[in-house]
């Protein structure tokens, strides 16, 4: 498509489309059921899983930001009873859609080749799997004979290594994760947050398609999912979303989708041609028209550090002017904003950060600090919206009280106390 045919949009319009496509505009529905949860996951593509629970698990915060308080049992049912969701690897370890299984199935057998691993790592994994062929047979045999189990319930735990938040450090745990990538085993439940493992062949519903997609078809479907989820996206943004770093030839895929009029280019006003050329899915052009016509209902909420809107830090910086860094592993004395900081989304702008901690025993949400971005509105109405978002989070957690410290912006103190 010639450069002159590109539609020009403002950065504000681009941000609003991005926010709207992430289900972060409009108020939360009065009633939330499993269908609404599934609709959100379908449009986002995945929910990143993270083991840190200072406030709540990340995927629960992501859903709360969009749905408000929602019934956790409904999410559990979607995962473990209806099995319309399952745990696998999207842009990171994630909860993904079972209806998308063909996308993952087509990559499972050759996951070492499709995943973003250096050649040296691939060689080490192949060698380790070859050395542990008996362990592989043992793990699969135990699951076949005795059914789903925690990794620690395997009698032959094997040698142990350094444990992480993700793994117990045993060879059994390593083998289970390898077999998960291969699609031979799956997480079939959780006990106290720990993974319960089972055979994929026994857990997957019968209605799941095992269609073998060509690499080209996987790319065509995945790139469209990424563009739709992002709203507006450059080639670089697409590469880091949904099937992160597993797009073999994004240029060819984008050319084909453009030639079929499934995506369109837009140019952000005030940007150079290289960094300003974005893609919008054809299905979202009407949404883009509506936003430009003023059909936009902003809301204020808090975001998980691993929220889909901000998981690409470079995109967050360029599109929203917001620099975000997770400081969990930064020594406390060197942290700038806090341990588990939630960005504040106000309409189409990221205006600040909240550093909260949920004291489950006392039923209190403790806000250790609130930081306002330079240029953020300092009026009382904005402060009230921020307070409303914090109170909504507290309610969703079941906290009976919110306690603020004195570390809040002076102009917001009337509401944040």
């Amino acid at each position: 498509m010639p450069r002159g045919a590109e539609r020009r949009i403002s950065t504000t319009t681009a941000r609003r489309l991005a926010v709207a496509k992430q289900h972060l505009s409009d108020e939360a529905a009065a009633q939330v059921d499993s269908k609404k949860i599934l609709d959100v996951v379908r449009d986002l593509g995945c929910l990143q899983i993270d083991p840190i629970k200072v406030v709540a698990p990340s995927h629960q915060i992501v859903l709360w930001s969009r749905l408000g308080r929602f019934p956790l049992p409904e999410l559990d049912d979607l995962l473990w009873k209806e099995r319309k969701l399952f745990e696998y690897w999207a842009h990171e370890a994630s909860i993904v859609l079972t209806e998308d299984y063909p996308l993952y199935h087509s990559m499972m057998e050759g996951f070492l080749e499709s995943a973003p691993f250096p050649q040296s790592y691939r060689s080490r994994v192949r060698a380790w799997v070859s050395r542990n062929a008996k362990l592989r047979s043992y793990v699969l045999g135990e699951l076949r004979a005795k059914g789903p189990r925690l990794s620690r319930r395997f009698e032959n735990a094997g040698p142990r290594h350094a444990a992480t938040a993700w793994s117990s450090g045993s060879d059994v745990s390593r083998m289970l994760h390898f077999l998960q990538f291969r699609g031979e085993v799956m997480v079939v439940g959780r006990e106290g947050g720990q993974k319960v493992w089972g055979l994929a062949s026994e857990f997957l519903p019968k209605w799941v398609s095992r269609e073998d997609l060509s690499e080209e078809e996987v790319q065509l479907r995945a790139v469209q999912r990424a563009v739709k989820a992002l709203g507006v996206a450059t080639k670089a943004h697409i590469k880091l979303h949904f099937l992160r770093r597993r797009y073999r030839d994004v240029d060819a895929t984008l050319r084909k989708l453009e030639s079929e009029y499934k995506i369109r280019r837009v140019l952000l006003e005030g940007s150079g041609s290289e960094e300003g050329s974005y893609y919008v899915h054809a299905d979202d052009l009407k949404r883009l028209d509506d936003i430009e016509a003023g059909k936009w209902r902003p809301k204020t909420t808090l975001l998980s550090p691993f929220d889909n809107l901000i998981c690409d830090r470079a995109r967050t910086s360029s599109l929203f002017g917001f620099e975000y860094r997770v400081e969990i592993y930064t020594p406390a004395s060197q942290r700038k904003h806090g341990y588990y900081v939630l960005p504040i989304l106000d309409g189409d702008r990221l205006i600040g950060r909240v550093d909260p901690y949920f004291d489950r025993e006392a039923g209190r949400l403790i806000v250790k600090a609130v930081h306002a971005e330079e240029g953020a509105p300092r009026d009382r109405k904005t402060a009230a919206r921020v307070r409303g978002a914090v109170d909504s989070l507290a309610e969703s957690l079941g906290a009976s009280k919110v306690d603020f410290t004195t570390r809040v912006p002076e102009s917001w103190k009337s509401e944040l106390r």
Side-chain angles (χ1 to χ4, degrees), residues 354-359 362-370 387 390-391 393-395 397 399-408 413 415-417:
V354 173
D355 180 19
Y357 167 74
F358 181 36
D359 184 340
R364 294 187 309 153
L365 181 64
I366 301 166
V367 180
K368 296 184 286 185
V370 178
R387 177 62 194 247
V390 173
D391 287 345
L393 176 62
E395 180 192 14
L397 296 170
S400 58
K401 188 179 181 185
V402 177
D403 289 335
F404 288 88
T405 69
T406 57
R407 295 182 61 202
V408 301
K413 278 187 175 179
E415 299 293 333
L416 307 184
R417 59 182 182 182

Side-chain angles (χ1 to χ4, degrees), residues 247-264:
Y247 300 101
R248 294 290 184 88
D249 192 347
V250 174
D251 289 321
T253 303
L254 291 173
R255 284 195 299 270
K256 183 173 177 60
L257 291 172
E258 273 195 281
S259 71
E260 295 174 350
Y261 299 100
K262 291 181 178 175
I263 60 173
R264 296 287 298 272

Side-chain angles (χ1 to χ4, degrees), residues 52 145 151 180 265 412:
I52 295 171
S151 61
Q180 181 189 26
R265 291 195 201 196
W412 290 355

Side-chain angles (χ1 to χ4, degrees), residues 37 57 59-60 63 69-78 396:
I37 294 171
H59 63 277
Q60 293 178 17
L63 288 173
R69 188 171 188 174
F70 68 94
L72 280 173
E74 297 275 4
L75 177 60
D76 286 339
D77 285 352
L78 286 170
S396 75

Side-chain angles (χ1 to χ4, degrees), residues 99-289:
E99 65 195 51
D100 283 340
Y101 188 79
L103 289 176
Y104 304 105
H105 177 66
S106 298
M107 295 186 294
M108 284 172 175
E109 183 141 356
F111 86 90
L112 279 175
E113 283 66 43
S114 65
F117 301 134
Q119 187 57 47
S120 58
Y121 176 80
R122 294 173 185 168
S123 298
R124 289 199 303 273
V125 171
R126 290 190 189 98
W128 183 86
V129 171
S130 178
R131 289 195 308 271
N132 289 275
K134 288 184 179 179
L135 177 61
R136 177 177 182 166
S137 296
Y138 163 75
V139 168
L140 292 173
E142 285 286 290
L143 292 175
R144 203 171 288 117
K146 299 178 182 177
R149 58 196 44 243
L150 296 162
S151 61
R152 67 171 179 264
R153 288 182 57 200
F154 287 86
E155 293 175 10
N156 176 22
R160 300 192 68 81
H161 310 278
T164 70
W166 294 104
S167 164
S168 66
S170 72
D171 273 353
V172 163
S173 181
R174 285 186 171 189
M175 183 58 73
L176 285 166
H177 282 89
F178 170 77
L179 293 171
Q180 181 189 26
F181 275 115
R182 287 267 302 168
E184 296 180 63
V185 305
M186 299 181 73
V187 179
V188 302
R190 292 269 182 171
E191 288 184 13
Q194 298 300 305
K195 297 173 183 176
V196 178
W197 297 94
L199 294 173
S201 58
E202 295 178 358
F203 181 73
L204 282 170
K206 291 181 180 178
W207 54 262
V208 173
S209 170
R210 272 79 164 180
E211 179 185 6
D212 281 317
L213 301 177
S214 66
E215 184 177 309
E216 180 185 29
E217 184 61 26
V218 170
Q219 302 295 302
L220 288 169
R221 293 189 190 187
V223 166
Q224 289 186 83
R225 293 294 297 280
V227 173
K228 282 187 172 184
L230 291 166
V232 291
T234 65
K235 179 175 70 174
H237 301 158
I238 294 165
K239 285 182 175 180
L240 289 177
H241 205 75
F242 194 39
L243 303 186
R244 178 178 286 182
R245 299 188 184 93
R246 281 178 284 176
Y247 300 101
R248 294 290 184 88
D249 192 347
V250 174
D251 289 321
T253 303
L254 291 173
R255 284 195 299 270
K256 183 173 177 60
L257 291 172
E258 273 195 281
S259 71
E260 295 174 350
Y261 299 100
K262 291 181 178 175
I263 60 173
R264 296 287 298 272
R265 291 195 201 196
V266 295
L267 188 67
L268 265 62
E269 292 174 355
S271 298
S273 60
E274 195 62 36
E275 68 271 21
S277 189
Y278 283 70
Y279 295 94
V280 174
H281 199 275
D283 292 351
D284 293 324
L285 294 175
K286 174 65 167 59
R287 190 77 170 266
L288 190 61
D289 292 339

